[in-house]
Amino acid sequence: MTSPEPGPAQEPGPARPEPVGPEPARARRTHAVDRFLRPLPGARPRRRFEVPPELGERPARPPQQPGLVRPVQTGFLLAVGVGLALLGWWVLANVGPLVGWVVTATFLALGLEPLVRWLEARSVPRPGAVALVVLGLAGALAAVITLVVPRIVAEAAQLAERVPPFVDDLLASRGFAELDARFGVRDSTEQWLQGLSGRVGSDSDLLGGLFGGVVGLGSVVLSAVAGTLIVLALTLYFLASLPVMTQWAYRLAPASRRARVQELGDRMLRGVGNYVVGQACVALLNAAVALALMLITGVPFAALLSLVVALLAFVPLVGGVLAGILVSLVAVTAGWETAVPYAIGYFAYLQVEAYFVSPRIMRRAVAVPGAIAVIAVAAGGALWGVLGALIAIPTAAAALILVREVFVPRQDDR
């Protein structure tokens, strides 16, 4: 048999160019991301404290005997429960700053969670979304520190220089003279200062008091810096592990009610997160409007006062009013022709914000009746200061969700 003669060798033609378009470019980017996220050879991930898997149907448990059948055991358990409750109260009373740091970090994480969910909805992995949100906030904070803080420090120094002449002018004014003649304000102030100097005592006591004050101020500054770092670290950890934390919390509920508990918990978490984001947007818009009005009317220390307005606007209901009163009082130092236009413009904006701006920004946030909001803010401020006033309305909203979805249907079924 003769083998077939080989045909002429075909010369390779020119390579065809790969199609260029959105799909191949997207595939190349996906391949590059997968190669970057691929673990190194021989590397092992760190063990995680994972949620245990759901169990299947379990046999019904026999009915338990009532506790009154065993009075000694019941009394012992009640005594142990009371002791644990007292121990928990003592621990909470002695770690007050830590509880405040944890609560602050939790609310910050819940406030950043809507941004992370928005990035996750656009095919960004959760670690990447958390990293982008944290880097964006760090960049914004660095920009504020670089551009705004020097101006605020300079204006604060100018305000400190203008306070003594303003006090002298106030003491020499006709209105203060009438008040002094009627109520003896000057004599009362001088007596108070003499009593204060008498309590200070000798020079050694004064030196010791000054030294103690310096040491106390240093400890306060150090505690503030440490608290800020702890809050930032806890916020990062809470934001990264929020799904796992919520799964663990839901697993503590009975299996028969777990789905309902998860639904209500997700609603409350979404409401709190949307409230924090909405309140931040309202506060920034409030500060921007106040800054524009101060620049137009010529109110002094505009940058410093706009920062104060932004901080006060975070306090719901009363923060904007307090900010308007404070800035108007400072504007009086520049003349009534400056204070009156600013007060009219700012308080007119507060009405627009209350009826048009805030309802549209907070439409996806929690809804709390006005009376309950005022009571919650007053109670939160009395119990826990500014932090209590900030978290009062979201907490009241979560309680209202539980009342509306759990307590009222249970009462209707009876």
Side-chain angles (χ1 to χ4, degrees):
M1 294 178 64
T2 59
S3 60
E5 296 181 358
Q10 297 181 359
E11 297 181 358
R16 296 181 179 179
E18 296 183 358
V20 179
E23 293 299 330
R26 186 179 305 168
R28 286 195 297 270
R29 287 197 300 268
T30 306
H31 180 66
V33 171
D34 292 340
R35 290 187 61 185
F36 178 75
L37 297 178
R38 186 181 304 167
L40 296 176
R44 295 182 180 180
R46 188 176 59 180
R47 294 188 61 186
R48 297 178 179 272
F49 193 67
E50 298 179 352
V51 182
E54 293 277 355
L55 299 177
E57 295 184 359
R58 288 161 290 182
R61 296 181 179 180
Q64 298 181 357
Q65 298 179 357
L68 295 178
V69 177
R70 301 175 180 177
V72 177
Q73 181 181 358
T74 303
F76 178 76
L77 293 178
L78 288 176
V80 171
V82 173
L84 291 177
L86 294 176
L87 177 62
W89 175 260
W90 180 82
V91 170
L92 290 177
N94 287 274
V95 293
L98 178 60
V99 176
W101 296 338
V102 172
V103 172
T104 304
T106 302
F107 271 83
L108 289 177
L110 293 178
L112 297 176
E113 178 64 17
L115 300 178
V116 175
R117 289 201 307 264
W118 183 81
L119 292 175
E120 284 183 323
R122 282 149 183 82
S123 302
V124 179
R126 186 171 183 87
V130 172
L132 289 176
V133 171
V134 172
L135 290 177
L137 289 179
L141 183 61
V144 169
I145 293 175
T146 305
L147 301 177
V148 180
V149 170
R151 178 68 179 274
I152 292 176
V153 171
E155 291 187 356
Q158 295 177 5
L159 180 61
E161 292 178 357
R162 290 185 57 176
V163 167
F166 176 75
V167 172
D168 294 338
D169 294 340
L170 178 63
L171 295 178
S173 63
R174 181 177 178 181
F176 182 80
E178 294 179 355
L179 289 176
D180 185 31
R182 179 173 299 181
F183 300 104
V185 178
R186 189 185 299 270
D187 296 336
S188 301
T189 305
E190 291 179 354
Q191 292 177 3
W192 178 75
L193 291 176
Q194 290 177 0
L196 181 63
S197 62
R199 287 194 299 268
V200 170
S202 61
D203 294 339
S204 60
D205 295 336
L206 178 60
L207 181 60
L210 292 176
F211 181 75
V214 172
V215 173
L217 179 61
S219 64
V220 169
V221 172
L222 182 61
S223 177
V225 173
T228 303
L229 295 178
I230 291 174
V231 167
L232 293 178
L234 288 177
T235 302
L236 181 59
Y237 279 111
F238 288 168
L239 187 61
S241 59
L242 190 60
V244 178
M245 293 171 58
T246 54
Q247 289 178 11
W248 267 105
Y250 297 149
R251 288 300 300 275
L252 298 178
S256 60
R257 303 177 181 177
R258 192 167 296 160
R260 182 60 172 168
V261 170
Q262 182 173 356
E263 179 188 357
L264 294 177
D266 291 340
R267 288 178 57 184
M268 288 188 290
L269 292 178
R270 284 195 301 268
V272 172
N274 293 332
Y275 171 80
V276 175
V277 174
Q279 192 65 30
C281 295
V282 171
L284 292 177
L285 183 60
N286 196 324
V289 172
L291 178 61
L293 290 174
M294 282 186 273
L295 294 178
I296 292 174
T297 57
V299 178
F301 318 114
L304 178 61
L305 293 177
S306 62
L307 176 63
V308 175
V309 170
L311 294 177
L312 289 177
F314 272 98
V315 180
L317 300 178
V318 297
V321 178
L322 293 178
I325 294 174
L326 178 61
V327 178
S328 300
L329 291 177
V330 177
V332 171
T333 61
W336 291 103
E337 65 277 3
T338 299
V340 172
Y342 172 81
I344 293 175
Y346 183 77
F347 284 103
Y349 165 74
L350 287 184
Q351 301 302 315
V352 174
E353 177 185 287
Y355 290 98
F356 297 98
V357 178
S358 184
R360 285 167 174 77
I361 294 179
M362 307 288 284
R363 65 180 182 272
R364 299 183 61 183
V366 292
V368 181
I372 296 179
V374 173
I375 295 173
V377 170
L383 293 176
W384 216 350
V386 178
L387 179 61
L390 291 176
I391 68 176
I393 291 183
T395 305
L400 287 177
I401 290 176
L402 292 178
V403 170
R404 184 175 62 244
E405 301 293 337
V406 177
F407 183 75
V408 173
R410 182 177 300 177
Q411 295 298 107
D412 292 339
D413 293 338
R414 291 185 176 181

